Structures are given as C-alpha cells and as structure tokens.
C-alpha cells in the first residue's frame, strides 16, 4: 500500500483529500504545518508528498518543506497542490524539485489520475526498457513506459503534465493540436493561458539543452504543432 503525505493547513481541504485517497486504497498521513511534516519525514519518508505552498503563517512554507524533503530524498515524488496558479510560483516549485504543480481547481478525479501516473512512472523506471516502446522523432526520443523524454540522447526533467503535452505533439508531427486536444491528452482541465504557460516552460527546457531547438510551432488561433527540423533528419 502506497503511503501519501498531505501537507495542507486548511482542515476541511486536508480531510477531503485524505478521505478520497483512502477510498482509492492509499494510506494517508496528514499534516497541518511544515514543522510537523518534516519531523515525520525525518522518521519515515512517504511514497508521495502533496504539499500546499502557503502553510499557516508561512507564506512559502511549502517551498521550504520541499527543499528540506529533497535533502532527505532525491527520489520521493512531490506534488504542489495550491491555489497559487502563476508562472513564477510554478517555475519556482519545479526548480526546487517538485514532480508536478497543480492548481486546487483541478477535479478530484484528475488529481487521482495524476497521482496514479506518478506512481506508474516511478515503478516503470525500475524495469528494463522495451525498445519497441520508444517513440523517436528526429533528435527526440520518448520512453512511454518510463515516461522519460530525451533530446540528443540527454534526459530532460518534465512533469507528468509536460510529458503528455510533448507526447501529444510529437506523436503526430506536422499535425496541429489545439488547446482542447492538448488538455485531453495531458489529462487536465485548465484555461488557455495555462496551456500557453506549459508550452513556454517546455520550450525553455529544450532550449537549455539545445539553443537551436525550434520543433514546437505556435499557430495563432489554432494551436501548436511539432515540426522536425532538417538538422534533426540529417
């Protein structure tokens, strides 16, 4: 049984999430603040930590907790689940080592799908790679089983949401995918601006690895398309 830790200062929200996850077969530990959570983590690590950013009087207590948890373990998956849905906080959270960053507006069903996907990715990373399950598009390779993406042979660190967006685009190169289609493929329900923000962060991660990356094309009013450059085909 997977053990999930929920760190949320609002009791009703905390108990609602815990009840849902218990019904799904998870063992759940709940914490109202950063100090009690980190004290528990030092004794026993959870299989997954779901953390709010603002914890009581600590406006960025969740960020501090994430950093402390990452010092204890580099592999424990972390999800930020917060009302603070903006690019600055999202990028900050992901840079601190979170595996995903979700808004509290996300539906409970979608939240459970995201949790299952994270556990699935971790379990599959322990297994040998089946080369038949590798999707290759020019310099890009996607391991569907392990949910890993590589560019020019180098692994990129994507969240679950970002993985599915890249997969949706690269799976049908040259075909425009509108925002609604990307939302469906990424198993999320968000507004257009959030999709745009995800695309921006995806581009930045590729560009950090390759300054010449230009495979993702935006078509105004239509959506996005994965284009394979001449260099990638060479």
């Amino acid at each position: 049984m997977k053990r999930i830790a929920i760190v949320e200062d609002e009791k009703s929200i905390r108990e609602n999430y815990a009840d849902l996850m218990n019904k799904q077969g998870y063992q759940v530990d709940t914490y109202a603040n950063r100090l009690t959570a980190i004290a528990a983590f030092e004794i026993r690590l959870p299989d997954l930590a779901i953390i709010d950013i603002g914890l009581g009087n600590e406006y960025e207590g969740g960020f501090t907790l994430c950093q402390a948890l990452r010092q204890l373990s580099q592999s424990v998956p972390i999800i930020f689940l917060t009302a603070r849905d903006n690019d600055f906080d999202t990028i900050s959270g992901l840079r601190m080592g979170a595996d995903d960053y979700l808004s509290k507006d996300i539906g409970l069903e979608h939240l459970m799908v995201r949790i299952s996907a994270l556990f699935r990715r971790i379990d599959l990373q322990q297994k040998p790679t089946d080369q038949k399950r590798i999707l290759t598009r020019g310099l890009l390779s996607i391991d569907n089983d392990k949910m890993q993406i590589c560019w020019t042979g180098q692994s990129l660190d994507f969240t679950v949401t970002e993985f599915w967006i890249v997969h949706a685009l690269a799976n049908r190169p040259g075909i425009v995918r509108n925002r609604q289609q990307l939302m469906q493929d990424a198993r999320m329900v968000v507004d257009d601006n959030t999709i745009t923000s995800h695309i921006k962060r995806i581009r930045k991660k590729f560009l950090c690895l390759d300054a010449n990356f230009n495979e993702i094309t935006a078509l105004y009013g239509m959506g996005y398309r994965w284009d394979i450059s001449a260099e990638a085909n060479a």
Side-chain angles (χ1 to χ4, degrees), residues 5-131:
I6 300 174
V7 189
E8 164 63 56
D9 59 341
E10 293 191 32
K11 183 179 179 181
S12 60
I13 296 176
R14 187 170 66 243
E15 291 179 348
N16 190 32
Y17 288 146
D19 182 59
L20 171 70
M21 294 173 197
N22 279 321
K23 290 178 179 177
Q24 295 295 318
Y26 296 110
Q27 183 172 343
V28 183
D29 298 317
T30 61
Y31 308 95
N33 58 67
R34 176 180 61 85
L35 294 178
T36 56
I38 195 61
F41 295 164
E42 288 174 347
I43 296 172
R44 179 175 179 175
L45 290 171
D47 295 307
L48 167 68
I50 299 176
I51 304 173
D52 193 6
I53 295 178
L55 296 173
N57 295 325
E58 294 187 288
Y59 184 72
E60 296 191 346
F63 284 156
T64 304
L65 178 59
C66 177
Q67 291 174 313
L69 181 53
R70 272 291 165 258
Q71 290 178 353
L72 294 174
S73 172
Q74 289 294 314
S75 59
V76 170
I78 298 172
I79 295 176
F80 277 118
L81 185 59
T82 175
R84 286 158 58 174
D85 187 16
N86 61 75
D87 278 353
F88 179 80
D89 284 328
T90 302
I91 293 170
S92 296
L94 296 176
R95 283 179 175 173
M96 288 176 186
D99 296 272
D100 215 342
Y101 188 107
L102 306 174
S103 167
K104 286 182 178 178
D105 290 337
I106 190 172
L108 294 179
E109 183 178 349
H110 285 85
L111 173 61
M112 297 313 301
V113 169
R114 204 65 62 89
I115 290 171
S116 297
L118 255 181
F119 281 138
R120 176 176 174 271
R121 179 169 68 176
I122 292 166
D123 291 341
L124 288 171
Q125 283 175 349
Q126 310 302 319
K127 298 180 179 180
T129 298
D130 181 354
Q131 294 300 319

Side-chain angles (χ1 to χ4, degrees), residues 150-163:
C150 293
W151 181 256
T152 63
Q154 300 181 68
S155 179
L156 286 159
D157 185 18
F158 285 115
T159 67
V160 173
T161 302
E162 292 167 347
F163 172 87

